[in-house]
Amino acid sequence: MGLIAYIKSLFILQLLVGFVFVVSGLIINFIQLCTCALWPIDKQLYRKINTRLSYSLWSQLVMLLEWWSSTECTIFTDQATVDKFGKEHVIIILNHNYEIDFLCGWTMCERYGVLGASKVLAKYELLKVPLIGWTWYFLEIVFCKRKWEEDRDTVFKGLTQLKDYPEFMWFLLYCEGTRFTPKKHEISMEVAESKGLPKLKYHLLPRTKGFTTTLSCLKGTVSAVYDVTLNFRDKKVPTLLGIVSGKKYMADMNITRYPVEEIPEDEKECATWLHKLYQRKDALQEHYEKEGSFPGPAIKPPRRLWTLLNFLFWATLLLTPLLNFACGVFVSGSPLLIVVFLIFCIIASIAVRRLISVSEVNKTGSTYGKMEGKKEN
């Protein structure tokens, strides 16, 4: 292990990085709360401010991927598609196989200037997660309980409200509904067989309702659907904890652009189109499994300095008083102050670990399969 890799693996440094993210996030959330007063006066100004506030938080996670772990992201697509990145409202369909798939999506958003305005159809439980859920709430993220009878009005209202969003947004959809695991895949393929649908090898059966509803509600706003298929070289399975520890991964993403005019408007035909899309995604993953790469030209968009500069700003602002305080505590020699400070460090480390656990595959709390056979796609 090299010296730099060893330093990145030190728990105290990881704790300080987590401290910066948590405290800056709380500050940003408080400012976002204050901006709510702008909503009835100037909704678009409220949105522009919150887009930049959320960028200041999310870009710290992107910094971990790009600068801390030095993970490289390569996209496989044509130049005509790349030329449209960041210049149109789009729906992103991403496979949900890895703990850090959202981070790879965010790094592409950042490099093309749409990170702050990125959207997602998120499960309702995430609304209760500090920092992440709170920031998403101020960004008008649509939360759903994945029970259509309960979600219908909320989803329609939330999506329709985004039609006049002033910044170009990339709306992320995990059409599989939950992260891929062998057990979920087995259940999903049983459902596919019962419905007479082709079986998939690398994906779960897509839930079409979210896609057809999003496309319908954002009609006239989004101009294309980007199909993104993600994989990692050398068959590595990256984790967020690995990123925090400074481990480097090599991510590959195949991106295909579909103009909305080419997608059927009829709900059933649109659902059929999505199923065929996932069959193509499965074929792409099969190609990657055999060849170790996606077909087509490879493009490596350069990382930008903004994420690093943003983190250094927050680190300077927050760590300077913290380190001064820590030095004062230990210099004082007071057993009580030292014990209180150590307890604070322990609580902070637990809080950071809990935030990381939100992304872990085996702790997502999914009930996938319990009612799957009774649901309609």
Side-chain angles (χ1 to χ4, degrees):
M1 179 185 291
L3 178 61
I4 295 179
Y6 172 73
I7 292 174
K8 289 179 179 180
S9 69
L10 293 175
F11 174 74
I12 185 63
L13 273 185
Q14 297 171 11
L15 182 59
L16 291 175
V17 170
F19 172 82
V20 172
F21 177 75
V22 170
V23 177
S24 65
L26 292 174
I27 294 172
I28 288 170
N29 285 163
F30 176 74
I31 298 173
Q32 287 180 305
L33 180 63
C34 295
T35 65
C36 289
L38 287 173
W39 180 267
I41 302 171
D42 192 333
K43 182 173 68 174
Q44 303 297 33
L45 178 60
Y46 164 90
R47 285 170 162 173
K48 290 179 180 179
I49 292 174
N50 275 278
T51 292
R52 284 145 186 81
L53 288 171
S54 66
Y55 175 86
S56 189
L57 184 60
W58 299 151
S59 65
Q60 294 181 50
L61 296 178
V62 174
M63 185 282 300
L64 287 177
L65 185 80
E66 294 182 340
W67 296 93
W68 186 259
S69 79
S70 299
T71 292
E72 294 184 14
C73 295
T74 303
I75 58 177
F76 293 79
T77 190
D78 57 274
Q79 189 59 47
T81 296
V82 173
D83 291 341
K84 293 182 178 295
F85 287 174
K87 300 175 183 177
E88 58 182 350
H89 296 292
V90 299
I91 294 173
I92 306 287
I93 296 177
L94 178 63
N95 56 308
H96 204 8
N97 298 69
Y98 305 99
E99 288 185 13
I100 67 164
D101 46 31
F102 75 96
L103 259 185
C104 293
W106 274 359
T107 192
M108 287 298 107
C109 288
E110 199 288 320
R111 294 181 193 195
Y112 291 102
V114 294
L115 176 60
S118 60
K119 307 295 180 187
V120 65
L121 193 61
K123 57 184 179 181
Y124 183 77
E125 291 82 359
L126 290 176
L127 177 59
K128 304 173 185 177
V129 177
L131 306 183
I132 297 172
W134 300 346
T135 304
W136 274 351
Y137 174 81
F138 294 115
L139 278 176
E140 303 168 73
I141 295 298
V142 181
F143 294 94
C144 58
K145 300 177 180 178
R146 293 184 286 192
K147 297 178 182 178
W148 184 242
E149 294 75 16
E150 299 180 25
D151 291 331
R152 184 192 303 270
D153 293 340
T154 301
V155 171
F156 271 104
K157 180 180 178 182
L159 290 173
T160 303
Q161 187 170 275
L162 293 174
K163 293 191 72 170
D164 63 343
Y165 209 78
E167 310 273 343
F168 287 124
M169 61 178 176
W170 285 10
F171 197 106
L172 172 63
L173 288 179
Y174 289 118
C175 293
E176 294 162 90
T178 185
R179 188 175 281 119
F180 183 100
T181 66
K183 180 61 177 178
K184 294 173 186 176
H185 180 255
E186 180 184 349
I187 295 170
S188 183
M189 292 308 97
E190 289 175 358
V191 175
E193 185 175 7
S194 69
K195 294 185 176 183
L197 294 169
K199 291 186 177 182
L200 303 172
K201 185 176 180 180
Y202 302 98
H203 301 85
L204 305 179
L205 196 67
R207 293 175 174 177
T208 61
K209 181 63 73 173
F211 174 70
T212 57
T213 301
T214 302
L215 191 61
S216 175
C217 289
L218 295 180
K219 183 180 179 181
T221 299
V222 298
S223 54
V225 171
Y226 293 172
D227 172 40
V228 183
T229 304
L230 170 69
N231 214 322
F232 288 85
R233 294 179 200 173
D234 303 319
K235 298 184 178 180
K236 289 188 177 181
V237 182
T239 64
L240 187 54
L241 193 57
I243 293 295
V244 173
S245 299
K247 292 183 181 179
K248 181 176 181 177
Y249 302 102
M250 305 293 285
D252 291 330
M253 287 179 276
N254 181 278
I255 304 177
T256 305
R257 181 181 183 274
Y258 296 94
V260 293
E261 295 82 11
E262 297 179 3
I263 303 173
E265 293 187 15
D266 179 77
E267 184 175 353
K268 289 185 177 180
E269 292 180 3
C270 188
T272 300
W273 181 89
L274 184 64
H275 281 297
K276 291 181 178 178
L277 178 73
Y278 267 79
Q279 292 167 36
R280 290 193 290 271
K281 288 174 78 72
D282 225 47
L284 277 171
Q285 290 287 40
E286 182 69 22
H287 182 280
Y288 195 94
E289 185 74 13
K290 293 179 179 178
E291 305 294 334
S293 177
F294 289 118
I299 300 172
K300 286 189 177 181
R303 60 185 180 180
R304 306 194 304 172
L305 272 174
W306 295 115
T307 57
L308 182 60
L309 294 175
N310 175 74
F311 177 78
L312 291 176
F313 163 76
W314 283 111
T316 303
L317 181 67
L318 299 175
L319 292 183
T320 300
L322 176 67
L323 295 178
N324 287 337
F325 175 74
C327 290
V329 167
F330 286 99
V331 169
S332 71
S334 169
L336 179 61
L337 284 177
I338 293 174
V339 169
V340 170
F341 182 75
L342 291 177
I343 291 175
F344 167 78
C345 291
I346 292 172
I347 293 174
S349 65
I350 293 173
V352 171
R353 189 64 185 84
R354 288 291 297 273
L355 279 175
I356 291 175
S357 71
V358 172
S359 74
E360 291 180 347
V361 172
N362 61 345
K363 295 184 180 180
T364 54
S366 174
T367 58
Y368 187 89
K370 293 182 180 179
M371 297 294 291
E372 195 67 16
K374 299 179 182 179
K375 290 182 180 179
E376 293 184 2
N377 268 318

